[in-house]
Amino acid sequence: MKRVALIVVVVALIGGGLYWMYERGQGRDIPGSPPAAAPKAGTCYKVDANGAKAALPWDGAPVDCAGMHTVELFHVGQVGKDLLHRLDDAKGDDVKVTQALLYAQARRACLVEGPLFLSGGWHEARLQIVAAWIKPATDGFFGCGLAEVTGPTGDEFAPRSGSLKGALAQDSALAIACIKKDQNQLSYVQCSDPHDGEYSGVYTITPPEAPFDEAAVQSATAKGCTSVGLGYLGLPADGGRADLSAGSVGPKTANEWLGSDQAFTCYLMSAKPLKSSVHNLGSAPLPLA
């Protein structure tokens, strides 16, 4: 298989960064519990992807999770107070460095808690993990949410009803199958529908918390997703196909990498539309639409 440029997407969103500009003070007492107005785990909202970039609580009243909603909060946490005090005293470039460390700590917590809540890996599902600061962000509280999304880029939330707790242990409808490309827009579709790519697995770069190097990440992901794709096709490790290429979704910048789980969702991409799955296709002809 050919190696192609990465398909990329931020693995989690976090909003409200401007709030760090306020309430700074050396030696202040930082509360150990969220403010009374903070939403709790189990709260659901009707909010779009842009709205979810803001600090919590989001615009609009919370809604019943049994009814239609787009985001379900599954965890509320707090970053380390040592880092919050460091930010209070930070000057110059150390302000941005400390904010990045806080961002990474919050995002990492959401990525750890998400699979536990779902009873499965979110990279394999039509889901996006969303992290957002809780006002006032200088106290370091954050909420973790889950949204069902319409495509790999995660920039459009799909309305849904019911909680996602334990969903990946029982709801195969959330599993990624195939993707369709319409100009620059990618959307999830069933493999029985015309499509341009198919989910082949997840590749994780090791060791955990490895330093970011753009060229190294692109090289490792291209090799890793090529290997994942060959296994999905039922081909040997030294095999290949000229009519399929390996693509991936995952962190592509230093900012996206920080606090991520270094996991990439892999796809097999075809230049011509397909009409069915290529799983275990081996070297047989592509099922062209």
Side-chain angles (χ1 to χ4, degrees):
M1 287 182 297
K2 299 173 290 181
R3 293 176 187 169
V4 295
L6 298 180
I7 306 167
V8 291
V9 60
V10 179
V11 294
L13 307 172
I14 191 156
L18 293 177
Y19 290 93
W20 290 119
M21 297 173 63
Y22 304 98
E23 299 188 14
R24 295 177 59 189
Q26 188 173 9
R28 65 187 172 94
D29 291 330
I30 299 174
S33 56
K40 297 177 174 57
T43 302
C44 288
Y45 284 90
K46 285 183 178 180
V47 62
D48 62 19
N50 285 329
K53 295 177 183 178
L56 287 161
W58 291 320
D59 289 341
V63 298
D64 187 350
C65 291
M68 297 304 293
H69 62 275
T70 55
V71 182
E72 176 182 3
L73 297 183
F74 62 89
H75 177 73
V76 172
Q78 185 180 27
V79 294
K81 292 184 179 181
D82 55 339
L83 278 179
L84 293 172
H85 283 304
R86 173 177 164 177
L87 182 63
D88 290 339
D89 300 332
K91 299 182 184 302
D93 290 342
D94 193 43
V95 173
K96 291 184 178 180
V97 171
T98 308
Q99 287 177 346
L101 292 172
L102 288 161
Y103 169 91
Q105 198 174 101
R107 181 162 64 180
R108 176 61 59 85
C110 293
L111 295 179
V112 169
E113 294 291 335
L116 299 177
F117 180 80
L118 291 164
S119 298
W122 67 277
H123 291 288
E124 304 167 11
R126 304 179 182 212
L127 299 172
Q128 177 76 47
I129 288 183
V130 178
W133 298 115
I134 294 172
K135 302 174 187 177
T138 43
D139 289 341
F141 291 100
F142 59 90
C144 304
L146 279 162
E148 185 175 344
V149 291
T150 61
T153 54
D155 53 6
E156 184 176 343
F157 294 169
R160 60 168 289 112
S161 60
S163 174
L164 285 166
K165 184 174 178 60
L168 297 189
Q170 55 189 341
D171 191 351
S172 60
L174 288 170
I176 299 172
C178 290
I179 54 175
K180 182 178 180 179
K181 186 175 182 180
D182 184 6
Q183 296 182 344
N184 293 325
Q185 185 70 29
L186 294 172
S187 58
Y188 293 130
V189 296
Q190 296 301 313
C191 292
S192 55
D193 297 327
H195 58 275
D196 304 288
E198 182 169 350
Y199 166 77
S200 57
V202 175
Y203 174 73
T204 301
I205 294 179
T206 56
E209 300 184 11
F212 179 77
D213 180 284
E214 183 176 2
V217 167
Q218 289 191 7
S219 176
T221 306
K223 292 177 182 177
C225 282
T226 294
S227 178
V228 168
L230 289 170
Y232 187 81
L233 288 166
L235 290 171
D238 60 353
R241 294 192 62 126
D243 51 5
L244 290 173
S245 58
S248 66
V249 171
K252 69 165 183 175
T253 67
N255 188 50
E256 294 165 3
W257 182 263
L258 190 63
S260 76
D261 53 11
Q262 302 175 193
F264 290 76
T265 306
C266 302
Y267 291 89
L268 288 167
M269 305 299 297
S270 171
K272 299 179 180 180
L274 305 172
K275 64 180 180 180
S276 60
S277 174
V278 298
H279 188 218
N280 288 328
L281 184 67
S283 58
L286 290 179
L288 297 177

